[in-house]
mmCIF file with all atom_site columns, all heavy atoms in Angstrom:
data_model
loop_
_atom_site.group_PDB
_atom_site.id
_atom_site.type_symbol
_atom_site.label_atom_id
_atom_site.label_alt_id
_atom_site.label_comp_id
_atom_site.label_asym_id
_atom_site.label_entity_id
_atom_site.label_seq_id
_atom_site.pdbx_PDB_ins_code
_atom_site.Cartn_x
_atom_site.Cartn_y
_atom_site.Cartn_z
_atom_site.occupancy
_atom_site.B_iso_or_equiv
_atom_site.pdbx_formal_charge
_atom_site.auth_seq_id
_atom_site.auth_comp_id
_atom_site.auth_asym_id
_atom_site.auth_atom_id
_atom_site.pdbx_PDB_model_num
ATOM 1   N N   . LEU A 1 68 ? -10.606 -7.293  -20.831 1.00 93.00 ? 68 LEU A N   1
ATOM 2   C CA  . LEU A 1 68 ? -10.569 -8.473  -19.971 1.00 93.00 ? 68 LEU A CA  1
ATOM 3   C C   . LEU A 1 68 ? -11.904 -9.182  -20.092 1.00 93.00 ? 68 LEU A C   1
ATOM 4   O O   . LEU A 1 68 ? -12.954 -8.611  -19.791 1.00 93.00 ? 68 LEU A O   1
ATOM 5   C CB  . LEU A 1 68 ? -10.298 -8.044  -18.521 1.00 93.00 ? 68 LEU A CB  1
ATOM 6   C CG  . LEU A 1 68 ? -10.111 -9.121  -17.482 1.00 93.00 ? 68 LEU A CG  1
ATOM 7   C CD1 . LEU A 1 68 ? -8.941  -10.035 -17.834 1.00 93.00 ? 68 LEU A CD1 1
ATOM 8   C CD2 . LEU A 1 68 ? -9.868  -8.475  -16.123 1.00 93.00 ? 68 LEU A CD2 1
ATOM 9   N N   . VAL A 1 69 ? -11.890 -10.430 -20.556 1.00 95.00 ? 69 VAL A N   1
ATOM 10  C CA  . VAL A 1 69 ? -13.120 -11.164 -20.843 1.00 95.00 ? 69 VAL A CA  1
ATOM 11  C C   . VAL A 1 69 ? -13.178 -12.444 -20.020 1.00 95.00 ? 69 VAL A C   1
ATOM 12  O O   . VAL A 1 69 ? -12.212 -13.200 -19.959 1.00 95.00 ? 69 VAL A O   1
ATOM 13  C CB  . VAL A 1 69 ? -13.215 -11.502 -22.357 1.00 95.00 ? 69 VAL A CB  1
ATOM 14  C CG1 . VAL A 1 69 ? -14.466 -12.315 -22.656 1.00 95.00 ? 69 VAL A CG1 1
ATOM 15  C CG2 . VAL A 1 69 ? -13.181 -10.236 -23.191 1.00 95.00 ? 69 VAL A CG2 1
ATOM 16  N N   . PHE A 1 70 ? -14.336 -12.652 -19.387 1.00 95.00 ? 70 PHE A N   1
ATOM 17  C CA  . PHE A 1 70 ? -14.606 -13.874 -18.641 1.00 95.00 ? 70 PHE A CA  1
ATOM 18  C C   . PHE A 1 70 ? -15.767 -14.578 -19.316 1.00 95.00 ? 70 PHE A C   1
ATOM 19  O O   . PHE A 1 70 ? -16.732 -13.932 -19.732 1.00 95.00 ? 70 PHE A O   1
ATOM 20  C CB  . PHE A 1 70 ? -15.006 -13.566 -17.192 1.00 95.00 ? 70 PHE A CB  1
ATOM 21  C CG  . PHE A 1 70 ? -13.975 -12.779 -16.432 1.00 95.00 ? 70 PHE A CG  1
ATOM 22  C CD1 . PHE A 1 70 ? -14.055 -11.396 -16.380 1.00 95.00 ? 70 PHE A CD1 1
ATOM 23  C CD2 . PHE A 1 70 ? -12.940 -13.419 -15.778 1.00 95.00 ? 70 PHE A CD2 1
ATOM 24  C CE1 . PHE A 1 70 ? -13.116 -10.663 -15.666 1.00 95.00 ? 70 PHE A CE1 1
ATOM 25  C CE2 . PHE A 1 70 ? -11.997 -12.690 -15.063 1.00 95.00 ? 70 PHE A CE2 1
ATOM 26  C CZ  . PHE A 1 70 ? -12.083 -11.303 -15.009 1.00 95.00 ? 70 PHE A CZ  1
ATOM 27  N N   . ARG A 1 71 ? -15.705 -15.881 -19.393 1.00 95.00 ? 71 ARG A N   1
ATOM 28  C CA  . ARG A 1 71 ? -16.801 -16.649 -19.987 1.00 95.00 ? 71 ARG A CA  1
ATOM 29  C C   . ARG A 1 71 ? -17.377 -17.612 -18.945 1.00 95.00 ? 71 ARG A C   1
ATOM 30  O O   . ARG A 1 71 ? -16.665 -18.122 -18.097 1.00 95.00 ? 71 ARG A O   1
ATOM 31  C CB  . ARG A 1 71 ? -16.297 -17.413 -21.197 1.00 95.00 ? 71 ARG A CB  1
ATOM 32  C CG  . ARG A 1 71 ? -16.004 -16.489 -22.375 1.00 95.00 ? 71 ARG A CG  1
ATOM 33  C CD  . ARG A 1 71 ? -15.654 -17.272 -23.624 1.00 95.00 ? 71 ARG A CD  1
ATOM 34  N NE  . ARG A 1 71 ? -15.544 -16.460 -24.817 1.00 95.00 ? 71 ARG A NE  1
ATOM 35  C CZ  . ARG A 1 71 ? -14.627 -15.532 -25.059 1.00 95.00 ? 71 ARG A CZ  1
ATOM 36  N NH1 . ARG A 1 71 ? -13.742 -15.246 -24.141 1.00 95.00 ? 71 ARG A NH1 1
ATOM 37  N NH2 . ARG A 1 71 ? -14.595 -14.868 -26.188 1.00 95.00 ? 71 ARG A NH2 1
ATOM 38  N N   . ASN A 1 72 ? -18.682 -17.855 -19.069 1.00 94.00 ? 72 ASN A N   1
ATOM 39  C CA  . ASN A 1 72 ? -19.384 -18.800 -18.194 1.00 94.00 ? 72 ASN A CA  1
ATOM 40  C C   . ASN A 1 72 ? -19.142 -18.492 -16.716 1.00 94.00 ? 72 ASN A C   1
ATOM 41  O O   . ASN A 1 72 ? -18.629 -19.310 -15.962 1.00 94.00 ? 72 ASN A O   1
ATOM 42  C CB  . ASN A 1 72 ? -18.991 -20.241 -18.538 1.00 94.00 ? 72 ASN A CB  1
ATOM 43  C CG  . ASN A 1 72 ? -19.336 -20.572 -19.961 1.00 94.00 ? 72 ASN A CG  1
ATOM 44  O OD1 . ASN A 1 72 ? -20.407 -20.221 -20.450 1.00 94.00 ? 72 ASN A OD1 1
ATOM 45  N ND2 . ASN A 1 72 ? -18.429 -21.233 -20.662 1.00 94.00 ? 72 ASN A ND2 1
ATOM 46  N N   . VAL A 1 73 ? -19.559 -17.286 -16.331 1.00 93.00 ? 73 VAL A N   1
ATOM 47  C CA  . VAL A 1 73 ? -19.360 -16.794 -14.966 1.00 93.00 ? 73 VAL A CA  1
ATOM 48  C C   . VAL A 1 73 ? -20.592 -17.097 -14.124 1.00 93.00 ? 73 VAL A C   1
ATOM 49  O O   . VAL A 1 73 ? -21.706 -16.778 -14.518 1.00 93.00 ? 73 VAL A O   1
ATOM 50  C CB  . VAL A 1 73 ? -19.090 -15.270 -14.975 1.00 93.00 ? 73 VAL A CB  1
ATOM 51  C CG1 . VAL A 1 73 ? -18.955 -14.731 -13.567 1.00 93.00 ? 73 VAL A CG1 1
ATOM 52  C CG2 . VAL A 1 73 ? -17.859 -14.951 -15.812 1.00 93.00 ? 73 VAL A CG2 1
ATOM 53  N N   . GLU A 1 74 ? -20.373 -17.719 -12.950 1.00 88.00 ? 74 GLU A N   1
ATOM 54  C CA  . GLU A 1 74 ? -21.457 -18.001 -12.013 1.00 88.00 ? 74 GLU A CA  1
ATOM 55  C C   . GLU A 1 74 ? -22.105 -16.707 -11.553 1.00 88.00 ? 74 GLU A C   1
ATOM 56  O O   . GLU A 1 74 ? -21.427 -15.739 -11.257 1.00 88.00 ? 74 GLU A O   1
ATOM 57  C CB  . GLU A 1 74 ? -20.894 -18.643 -10.750 1.00 88.00 ? 74 GLU A CB  1
ATOM 58  C CG  . GLU A 1 74 ? -20.716 -20.096 -10.763 1.00 88.00 ? 74 GLU A CG  1
ATOM 59  C CD  . GLU A 1 74 ? -20.179 -20.549 -9.395  1.00 88.00 ? 74 GLU A CD  1
ATOM 60  O OE1 . GLU A 1 74 ? -20.678 -20.080 -8.359  1.00 88.00 ? 74 GLU A OE1 1
ATOM 61  O OE2 . GLU A 1 74 ? -19.267 -21.360 -9.416  1.00 88.00 ? 74 GLU A OE2 1
ATOM 62  N N   . VAL A 1 75 ? -23.428 -16.710 -11.462 1.00 88.00 ? 75 VAL A N   1
ATOM 63  C CA  . VAL A 1 75 ? -24.149 -15.570 -10.912 1.00 88.00 ? 75 VAL A CA  1
ATOM 64  C C   . VAL A 1 75 ? -24.685 -15.968 -9.550  1.00 88.00 ? 75 VAL A C   1
ATOM 65  O O   . VAL A 1 75 ? -25.464 -16.902 -9.429  1.00 88.00 ? 75 VAL A O   1
ATOM 66  C CB  . VAL A 1 75 ? -25.316 -15.126 -11.830 1.00 88.00 ? 75 VAL A CB  1
ATOM 67  C CG1 . VAL A 1 75 ? -26.049 -13.950 -11.211 1.00 88.00 ? 75 VAL A CG1 1
ATOM 68  C CG2 . VAL A 1 75 ? -24.816 -14.783 -13.225 1.00 88.00 ? 75 VAL A CG2 1
ATOM 69  N N   . ASP A 1 76 ? -24.222 -15.264 -8.516  1.00 83.00 ? 76 ASP A N   1
ATOM 70  C CA  . ASP A 1 76 ? -24.699 -15.509 -7.164  1.00 83.00 ? 76 ASP A CA  1
ATOM 71  C C   . ASP A 1 76 ? -25.912 -14.619 -6.902  1.00 83.00 ? 76 ASP A C   1
ATOM 72  O O   . ASP A 1 76 ? -26.046 -13.540 -7.466  1.00 83.00 ? 76 ASP A O   1
ATOM 73  C CB  . ASP A 1 76 ? -23.596 -15.200 -6.147  1.00 83.00 ? 76 ASP A CB  1
ATOM 74  C CG  . ASP A 1 76 ? -22.404 -16.131 -6.293  1.00 83.00 ? 76 ASP A CG  1
ATOM 75  O OD1 . ASP A 1 76 ? -22.613 -17.359 -6.314  1.00 83.00 ? 76 ASP A OD1 1
ATOM 76  O OD2 . ASP A 1 76 ? -21.276 -15.640 -6.405  1.00 83.00 ? 76 ASP A OD2 1
ATOM 77  N N   . ASP A 1 77 ? -26.794 -15.074 -6.030  1.00 75.00 ? 77 ASP A N   1
ATOM 78  C CA  . ASP A 1 77 ? -27.992 -14.325 -5.681  1.00 75.00 ? 77 ASP A CA  1
ATOM 79  C C   . ASP A 1 77 ? -27.627 -13.191 -4.722  1.00 75.00 ? 77 ASP A C   1
ATOM 80  O O   . ASP A 1 77 ? -27.111 -13.456 -3.622  1.00 75.00 ? 77 ASP A O   1
ATOM 81  C CB  . ASP A 1 77 ? -28.998 -15.266 -5.020  1.00 75.00 ? 77 ASP A CB  1
ATOM 82  C CG  . ASP A 1 77 ? -30.327 -14.610 -4.716  1.00 75.00 ? 77 ASP A CG  1
ATOM 83  O OD1 . ASP A 1 77 ? -30.455 -13.371 -4.865  1.00 75.00 ? 77 ASP A OD1 1
ATOM 84  O OD2 . ASP A 1 77 ? -31.249 -15.347 -4.333  1.00 75.00 ? 77 ASP A OD2 1
ATOM 85  N N   . PRO A 1 78 ? -27.868 -11.919 -5.093  1.00 73.00 ? 78 PRO A N   1
ATOM 86  C CA  . PRO A 1 78 ? -27.493 -10.807 -4.211  1.00 73.00 ? 78 PRO A CA  1
ATOM 87  C C   . PRO A 1 78 ? -28.253 -10.817 -2.882  1.00 73.00 ? 78 PRO A C   1
ATOM 88  O O   . PRO A 1 78 ? -27.808 -10.199 -1.918  1.00 73.00 ? 78 PRO A O   1
ATOM 89  C CB  . PRO A 1 78 ? -27.826 -9.558  -5.027  1.00 73.00 ? 78 PRO A CB  1
ATOM 90  C CG  . PRO A 1 78 ? -28.794 -10.003 -6.061  1.00 73.00 ? 78 PRO A CG  1
ATOM 91  C CD  . PRO A 1 78 ? -28.496 -11.452 -6.327  1.00 73.00 ? 78 PRO A CD  1
ATOM 92  N N   . GLU A 1 79 ? -29.359 -11.528 -2.818  1.00 72.00 ? 79 GLU A N   1
ATOM 93  C CA  . GLU A 1 79 ? -30.126 -11.601 -1.573  1.00 72.00 ? 79 GLU A CA  1
ATOM 94  C C   . GLU A 1 79 ? -29.369 -12.360 -0.477  1.00 72.00 ? 79 GLU A C   1
ATOM 95  O O   . GLU A 1 79 ? -29.684 -12.238 0.695   1.00 72.00 ? 79 GLU A O   1
ATOM 96  C CB  . GLU A 1 79 ? -31.491 -12.255 -1.823  1.00 72.00 ? 79 GLU A CB  1
ATOM 97  C CG  . GLU A 1 79 ? -32.367 -11.498 -2.797  1.00 72.00 ? 79 GLU A CG  1
ATOM 98  C CD  . GLU A 1 79 ? -32.704 -10.083 -2.341  1.00 72.00 ? 79 GLU A CD  1
ATOM 99  O OE1 . GLU A 1 79 ? -32.936 -9.885  -1.136  1.00 72.00 ? 79 GLU A OE1 1
ATOM 100 O OE2 . GLU A 1 79 ? -32.708 -9.177  -3.185  1.00 72.00 ? 79 GLU A OE2 1
ATOM 101 N N   . HIS A 1 80 ? -28.358 -13.157 -0.867  1.00 73.00 ? 80 HIS A N   1
ATOM 102 C CA  . HIS A 1 80 ? -27.562 -13.907 0.105   1.00 73.00 ? 80 HIS A CA  1
ATOM 103 C C   . HIS A 1 80 ? -26.474 -13.052 0.755   1.00 73.00 ? 80 HIS A C   1
ATOM 104 O O   . HIS A 1 80 ? -25.758 -13.524 1.631   1.00 73.00 ? 80 HIS A O   1
ATOM 105 C CB  . HIS A 1 80 ? -26.923 -15.132 -0.546  1.00 73.00 ? 80 HIS A CB  1
ATOM 106 C CG  . HIS A 1 80 ? -27.898 -16.179 -0.927  1.00 73.00 ? 80 HIS A CG  1
ATOM 107 N ND1 . HIS A 1 80 ? -27.979 -16.689 -2.198  1.00 73.00 ? 80 HIS A ND1 1
ATOM 108 C CD2 . HIS A 1 80 ? -28.870 -16.805 -0.215  1.00 73.00 ? 80 HIS A CD2 1
ATOM 109 C CE1 . HIS A 1 80 ? -28.949 -17.582 -2.255  1.00 73.00 ? 80 HIS A CE1 1
ATOM 110 N NE2 . HIS A 1 80 ? -29.498 -17.676 -1.061  1.00 73.00 ? 80 HIS A NE2 1
ATOM 111 N N   . PHE A 1 81 ? -26.324 -11.814 0.288   1.00 70.00 ? 81 PHE A N   1
ATOM 112 C CA  . PHE A 1 81 ? -25.272 -10.927 0.780   1.00 70.00 ? 81 PHE A CA  1
ATOM 113 C C   . PHE A 1 81 ? -25.902 -9.614  1.210   1.00 70.00 ? 81 PHE A C   1
ATOM 114 O O   . PHE A 1 81 ? -26.919 -9.197  0.693   1.00 70.00 ? 81 PHE A O   1
ATOM 115 C CB  . PHE A 1 81 ? -24.234 -10.684 -0.328  1.00 70.00 ? 81 PHE A CB  1
ATOM 116 C CG  . PHE A 1 81 ? -23.689 -11.951 -0.919  1.00 70.00 ? 81 PHE A CG  1
ATOM 117 C CD1 . PHE A 1 81 ? -24.250 -12.499 -2.064  1.00 70.00 ? 81 PHE A CD1 1
ATOM 118 C CD2 . PHE A 1 81 ? -22.644 -12.622 -0.316  1.00 70.00 ? 81 PHE A CD2 1
ATOM 119 C CE1 . PHE A 1 81 ? -23.763 -13.676 -2.616  1.00 70.00 ? 81 PHE A CE1 1
ATOM 120 C CE2 . PHE A 1 81 ? -22.144 -13.799 -0.848  1.00 70.00 ? 81 PHE A CE2 1
ATOM 121 C CZ  . PHE A 1 81 ? -22.707 -14.326 -1.998  1.00 70.00 ? 81 PHE A CZ  1
ATOM 122 N N   . ASP A 1 82 ? -25.289 -8.967  2.140   1.00 68.00 ? 82 ASP A N   1
ATOM 123 C CA  . ASP A 1 82 ? -25.788 -7.681  2.622   1.00 68.00 ? 82 ASP A CA  1
ATOM 124 C C   . ASP A 1 82 ? -25.200 -6.579  1.740   1.00 68.00 ? 82 ASP A C   1
ATOM 125 O O   . ASP A 1 82 ? -24.196 -5.966  2.096   1.00 68.00 ? 82 ASP A O   1
ATOM 126 C CB  . ASP A 1 82 ? -25.399 -7.491  4.093   1.00 68.00 ? 82 ASP A CB  1
ATOM 127 C CG  . ASP A 1 82 ? -26.017 -6.244  4.694   1.00 68.00 ? 82 ASP A CG  1
ATOM 128 O OD1 . ASP A 1 82 ? -27.035 -5.753  4.161   1.00 68.00 ? 82 ASP A OD1 1
ATOM 129 O OD2 . ASP A 1 82 ? -25.467 -5.753  5.697   1.00 68.00 ? 82 ASP A OD2 1
ATOM 130 N N   . LEU A 1 83 ? -25.819 -6.343  0.585   1.00 73.00 ? 83 LEU A N   1
ATOM 131 C CA  . LEU A 1 83 ? -25.276 -5.419  -0.406  1.00 73.00 ? 83 LEU A CA  1
ATOM 132 C C   . LEU A 1 83 ? -26.212 -4.249  -0.636  1.00 73.00 ? 83 LEU A C   1
ATOM 133 O O   . LEU A 1 83 ? -27.423 -4.401  -0.623  1.00 73.00 ? 83 LEU A O   1
ATOM 134 C CB  . LEU A 1 83 ? -25.067 -6.135  -1.746  1.00 73.00 ? 83 LEU A CB  1
ATOM 135 C CG  . LEU A 1 83 ? -24.167 -7.364  -1.736  1.00 73.00 ? 83 LEU A CG  1
ATOM 136 C CD1 . LEU A 1 83 ? -24.217 -8.054  -3.090  1.00 73.00 ? 83 LEU A CD1 1
ATOM 137 C CD2 . LEU A 1 83 ? -22.743 -6.987  -1.369  1.00 73.00 ? 83 LEU A CD2 1
ATOM 138 N N   . GLY A 1 84 ? -25.641 -3.102  -0.876  1.00 67.00 ? 84 GLY A N   1
ATOM 139 C CA  . GLY A 1 84 ? -26.400 -1.945  -1.325  1.00 67.00 ? 84 GLY A CA  1
ATOM 140 C C   . GLY A 1 84 ? -26.179 -1.777  -2.816  1.00 67.00 ? 84 GLY A C   1
ATOM 141 O O   . GLY A 1 84 ? -25.506 -2.588  -3.451  1.00 67.00 ? 84 GLY A O   1
ATOM 142 N N   . LEU A 1 85 ? -26.731 -0.729  -3.375  1.00 64.00 ? 85 LEU A N   1
ATOM 143 C CA  . LEU A 1 85 ? -26.570 -0.411  -4.803  1.00 64.00 ? 85 LEU A CA  1
ATOM 144 C C   . LEU A 1 85 ? -26.875 -1.605  -5.705  1.00 64.00 ? 85 LEU A C   1
ATOM 145 O O   . LEU A 1 85 ? -26.130 -1.938  -6.610  1.00 64.00 ? 85 LEU A O   1
ATOM 146 C CB  . LEU A 1 85 ? -25.145 0.092   -5.085  1.00 64.00 ? 85 LEU A CB  1
ATOM 147 C CG  . LEU A 1 85 ? -24.750 1.403   -4.435  1.00 64.00 ? 85 LEU A CG  1
ATOM 148 C CD1 . LEU A 1 85 ? -23.267 1.677   -4.631  1.00 64.00 ? 85 LEU A CD1 1
ATOM 149 C CD2 . LEU A 1 85 ? -25.571 2.560   -4.971  1.00 64.00 ? 85 LEU A CD2 1
#
Side-chain angles (χ1 to χ4, degrees):
L68 185 59
V69 178
F70 302 94
R71 289 187 172 66
N72 300 317
V73 177
E74 274 181 44
V75 179
D76 296 309
D77 185 352
E79 299 299 321
H80 291 126
F81 307 94
D82 186 22
L83 303 172
L85 295 172

